[in-house]
Amino acid sequence: MSASLMNTYARLPITFVEGEGATLYDEQGRAYLDAVSGIAVCSLGHAHPEIAHALCEQSKKLIHTSNLYHVVNQQLLADELIRLSGMDKVFFGNSGAEANEGAIKIARKYGNDQGKTNPEILVMENSFHGRTMATLSATGSQKVQEGFHPLVSGFVRVPFDDIAAVEQKIASHPNLVAILVEPVQGEGGVHVPKDGYLKALRALCDQHNLLLMIDEIQTGVGRTGKWFAFQHEDILPDVLSLAKALGNGVPIGACLARGKAAEVLAPGNHGTTFGGNPLACAAGLAVIKTIEHHNFIDYVAKQGEIMISDFKARLAGIEQVKQVRGKGYMIGIQLDRPCGELVKRALDKNLLINVTRGDTIRLLPPFVMSHTQQEQLVSGVCELINEFLTDI
């Protein structure tokens, strides 16, 4: 670790200097199959020619002017996101945490405008929404929150995928103004709720005049085999947060709102210096164009199902494998014991994977991964698991 950098990351002993598609190359030129995608960011892989071309051309024209003025690319990208999502308005920031901060501010002001001086937001256990003070307070992880008390107040917590618990909290908390939920818990271990969960939350929000706010920082922009994971349930949220894959590596976040939620914020209520700049929005536009042109949404839905089925078949009968779960190119393999060391073991096999919650292998492959590379990924991970369990 460099002495000049804050000690905030337990970095692996490797530096990547180049990439192409689903492959990264280190300083010695060794190739690694990337099943992390920069934590669900580089869904179109590395050095994608269409993204690179868009960034190069935009950088020759204009990179930043600020939101004191109209930004053409910002309007174009907003229009595309509205077309794809069914939402009404967009606010651009620089990250997922900022997108969720925007959602939290919308909920707070929505409640205050109704005369609720202590508005509360219902959030889920085991969730992850970011590392700013408000978003880590909303997050359902004591590990993330440790050392940062006092937390931001106004969050009420229930178990994920438990509608009865939601109903009970609504009945006992008259200051509730919104529900904030991930359609699939990513950092929490790739937990996919039962069918109908989001639809039931939508009905409860409609019944009690609450905002349904869906955090699609990790699931959005194609990761689950739909443009947005809420589309699997044929509903619309009131607020939608996006980031990660929207820029394919260029920092960008977006907070989308619909109906009454879209009219909450006014000039002076919220802002950003860098958010929605011409370069970041050029990246977002190129991402959407590329995904549509190559029909990656249907591809991810189909190939993700194949990979999940392959993992289940190859790991069947291994009692230490508790569950294989996922949706699209978002796959979790949970073991019955901590398995963080698998990340380093995988690196030794030229394979990049991630372990979250201590016991769950999380795979977030880029959409551009070939069929041969998918087979390599499934075989490599299954081999790692078998070796790991044999060595214990």
Side-chain angles (χ1 to χ4, degrees):
M1 183 189 73
S2 170
S4 61
L5 297 174
M6 284 192 184
N7 186 25
T8 55
Y9 296 99
R11 300 179 197 268
L12 290 164
I14 190 168
T15 301
F16 296 111
V17 296
E18 193 173 349
E20 182 179 6
T23 305
L24 281 169
Y25 299 89
D26 68 10
E27 293 172 301
Q28 284 72 46
R30 290 189 294 260
Y32 296 78
L33 182 63
D34 181 9
V36 179
S37 301
I39 316 180
V41 169
C42 297
S43 293
L44 296 176
H46 305 283
H48 195 288
E50 293 171 58
I51 309 302
H53 176 76
L55 291 173
C56 182
E57 291 303 304
Q58 184 59 48
S59 69
K60 295 176 184 177
K61 299 176 183 177
L62 199 61
I63 292 178
H64 177 77
T65 59
S66 94
N67 286 294
L68 294 173
Y69 317 104
H70 290 285
V71 179
V72 173
N73 281 354
Q74 188 177 128
Q75 184 64 62
L76 293 173
L77 182 56
D79 289 344
E80 287 294 279
L81 290 174
I82 288 167
R83 173 179 67 86
L84 295 169
S85 68
M87 304 299 281
D88 292 338
K89 294 183 185 289
V90 185
F91 174 88
F92 289 107
N94 308 283
S95 66
E98 285 182 58
N100 280 334
E101 285 278 343
I104 291 167
K105 287 181 72 173
I106 287 173
R108 288 281 186 95
K109 192 168 186 302
Y110 174 74
N112 276 281
D113 289 347
Q114 292 180 327
K116 295 184 179 182
T117 54
N118 294 296
E120 295 177 315
I121 300 171
L122 194 69
V123 292
M124 309 301 156
E125 295 173 4
N126 201 44
S127 62
F128 184 86
H129 297 293
R131 292 186 181 272
T132 60
M133 279 307 300
T135 56
L136 73 84
S137 298
T139 290
S141 168
Q142 293 183 358
K143 181 180 179 181
V144 171
Q145 296 168 345
E146 187 176 349
F148 298 106
H149 291 77
L151 301 177
V152 175
S153 62
F155 296 102
V156 178
R157 211 166 301 280
V158 296
F160 183 65
D161 199 16
D162 187 339
I163 292 299
V166 174
E167 292 174 331
Q168 291 169 5
K169 289 296 184 182
I170 291 175
S172 61
H173 286 72
N175 284 326
L176 280 177
V177 296
I179 296 175
L180 175 61
V181 63
E182 300 160 279
V184 177
Q185 289 190 329
E187 295 294 325
V190 193
H191 289 283
V192 183
K194 294 183 290 290
D195 290 344
Y197 177 62
L198 294 181
K199 188 168 287 189
L201 290 179
R202 175 72 273 173
L204 286 172
C205 287
D206 290 341
Q207 182 182 347
H208 297 281
N209 197 29
L210 308 177
L211 300 180
L212 178 59
M213 309 197 302
I214 298 186
D215 175 349
E216 296 230 25
I217 305 304
Q218 191 164 143
T219 58
V221 197
R223 175 59 55 183
T224 68
K226 295 279 188 182
W227 274 104
F228 310 103
F230 70 79
Q231 292 171 333
H232 290 284
E233 299 242 343
D234 194 26
I235 63 163
L236 281 174
D238 298 298
V239 181
L240 170 67
S241 50
L242 303 172
K244 288 190 180 289
L246 183 57
N248 206 63
V250 176
I252 187 171
C255 179
L256 287 70
R258 182 179 65 91
K260 57 193 175 186
E263 306 303 327
V264 170
L265 298 179
N269 291 152
H270 199 43
T272 172
T273 296
F274 295 105
N277 67 64
L279 188 71
C281 290
L285 286 164
V287 165
I288 290 172
K289 179 181 178 181
T290 303
I291 288 175
E292 289 197 315
H293 178 73
H294 295 282
N295 198 26
F296 277 125
I297 301 298
D298 291 343
Y299 182 81
V300 167
K302 178 182 176 182
Q303 293 303 127
E305 188 174 336
I306 290 171
M307 276 200 289
I308 292 169
S309 295
D310 284 350
F311 275 120
K312 287 180 177 179
R314 297 193 197 194
L315 297 173
I318 303 176
E319 61 180 0
Q320 298 94 331
V321 178
K322 292 181 65 177
Q323 193 175 27
V324 177
R325 52 184 178 255
K327 198 175 267 295
Y329 273 17
M330 193 173 182
I331 302 168
I333 303 170
Q334 185 177 2
L335 305 187
D336 67 351
R337 65 200 65 196
C339 59
E341 68 180 81
L342 282 174
V343 175
K344 180 61 170 64
R345 288 186 177 219
L347 199 65
D348 294 337
K349 292 179 177 291
N350 297 78
L351 180 61
L352 305 181
I353 66 169
N354 178 239
V355 168
T356 189
R357 300 296 292 190
D359 64 356
T360 302
I361 301 163
R362 176 175 52 167
L363 304 173
L364 302 162
F367 303 168
V368 297
M369 188 174 277
S370 69
H371 292 172
T372 299
Q373 289 172 324
Q374 290 169 12
E375 172 60 29
Q376 181 185 343
L377 172 60
V378 174
S379 297
V381 169
C382 290
E383 181 180 299
L384 274 170
I385 291 172
N386 279 297
E387 289 178 358
F388 172 67
L389 295 175
T390 300
D391 292 345
I392 293 175

